[in-house]
Amino acid sequence: QETYRLHSTTLKNVIFDTSMLRWVPEDSRYRKALDGMRFSKIKYDAINDKSSDFVKSFLKLFSIFYYHDRWSMNGEKLFERRMNPAKYTRGYHFETKKYIDHEVYSNITVPSFIEKNVDDYAEFNEESICYLEKMIEFCKKNNIKLTFTKTPVSTWGDSEHNSVQKIADEYGIKFIDFNYLPYIDEIDYNDATNGADGLHMNYYGATKLTDWFGKYLTEECAATDIRGQEKYAFMEEELEKYKRSIIKISLDEIIDPAEYLKKLVGNDYIIFVFARNNAASALTQEQRQYFDSIGLEQLADLITGDSYLAVINNTDIEIEKRELVGEDEHAGAYSCFNKMVKSYTIESGGSLLGDTAFCEINGVRYDAQGNGLNFVVYDKETKTVVDQTYFDTGDSATRELLDLGNGFKAFVNRKSEIEKGLKIYNAKCDTVKRNLTKDSDDLLRYLQDNWEDSNTLVLLTVKGDASKALTPEIRKVFQNMGLTELSKIEKRDSYIAVASGGNILFEKRDHGKQPLEHVGAGYQLISGGRDSGNMCEINIGNVPYAQGKRGINMVLYNTELQEVMFSYSLDTHKVTPTIPED
């Protein structure tokens, strides 16, 4: 209502994230909304609707009275302003960290991609539903298109989705849930790299979602384009502030130190440059020419082992200093007072002059992150350090470009671990998508979709009686795949098979009194028919993965990643597998 009061001619669409329907509304969340509202009848009505107590309503209406006794409480945090978001982020809490950077891959939830439990429903908070219905009624009355959505998070499941979908269907509202197909694929979302912590999207995920909604709003909702309108000129200014706030993202994507400086010089930054060890051997002629063109003459002439430091204030070279090899026993150093920063010290030692380098700004020390040219960037507008990085120009003219949108951050000690974890996580996602089905009888689909993959080991065992529901048509399919013994399986037989890349590596069927066992490279298969133990196991590295249910049990193991991708079972004593139409 408040938004409509202020923007009645342009408010045509409302996108509502359904996350909070699950939670009990807390007083702090009401305050989060109410405190920021201008005084109006709508604000008064909202407060009165929440509380029938006149005194409490009065106190909430005027924050100075609500917080009047805070001075008497203990703890410095009570005096901090907890809510002071930058307007240009529109409420988004900017985050660039990736889930895979700080969490073990096995703890990152692989999405199901489709709803499997279609009859499960979550019970939402009664108060939340009450206000949701008021919102629906208001949008309908004022001809505002309302769309439900849910951002991708690991804590959202089928029951929550089904409950929202039920409400959406009841009122004829579109529900866009990015936890499921087709939407999760349309934004190419990967929780390991596009999520921050399993609950929130990072910058890369938020960018993908924003791009999608931009198209949705313009193509399907006839959103009003207010660019160029004097009334909304302030948004152009906020957009520029936003672009400035994400400078680190674009800086991380630059592989050339000369291009790095081009991005910063002339844009109101103070750039601290200092060399450690060897920063010269790999510099190209083109890079040296650019350095010289912006006034960094000493950097243009740098040779192996030299110490070097410089401070660039916007476009002015505030200081540039170089100590040549053999001319000084100590590292080059410079301290200064600057009106934009209270004080700074910058020091550099080449390979023969101390092999040390750091920059200290207002008492905070920034040590060199590596050999070569190191940079610390201070934003004069926000009065904060916005980037610290290095280019090992003693070894290479450029640095490795990381795929920041879909890749992983290169920690020095964890790079290979993160790379392997991400590869496994992506493979698990691909396996789930490849084996998508709402039906439990798709044994043949699972087999055929993974049969030709040379990196997938297909492990099969049976428990009890796995033959009764197998028709001649099903047995013919097994025969054509090369599973000869499975095509002949009889009542209460034991059975084991191993296949990869379309080839049968091992297959055996038996009707003895003892279970069958087969041991391969790192795995063990056991099968006992109804008369030989009534059991089955598929153990990999001494860890059991078979579901151990009556019928055919299957495990898919990726030999390249050395990871189990999928486990499945079908009671072929009672259920006949479906033959895929294709």
Side-chain angles (χ1 to χ4, degrees), residues 22-79:
R22 298 175 288 173
W23 312 122
V24 176
E26 300 172 352
D27 190 62
S28 60
R29 297 192 182 278
Y30 282 103
R31 296 218 58 85
K32 196 173 182 180
L34 296 172
D35 284 358
M37 289 175 64
R38 303 175 186 178
F39 180 77
S40 67
K41 184 178 183 302
I42 293 174
K43 180 172 183 177
Y44 174 80
D45 289 343
I47 293 173
N48 200 46
D49 190 59
K50 168 60 181 167
S51 175
S52 59
D53 187 302
F54 174 78
V55 175
K56 289 184 178 180
S57 296
F58 179 81
L59 293 177
K60 289 181 179 179
L61 193 61
F62 301 101
S63 298
I64 189 173
F65 295 110
Y66 189 79
Y67 296 116
H68 77 283
D69 62 345
R70 179 168 282 199
W71 64 271
S72 63
M73 301 178 184
N74 295 322
E76 294 182 2
K77 287 189 176 182
L78 293 172
F79 295 92

Side-chain angles (χ1 to χ4, degrees), residues 292-311:
D292 187 64
S293 72
I294 62 172
L296 297 177
E297 298 174 358
Q298 297 295 327
L299 182 55
D301 294 331
L302 200 68
I303 63 173
T304 301
D306 282 355
S307 301
Y308 175 83
L309 57 84
V311 179

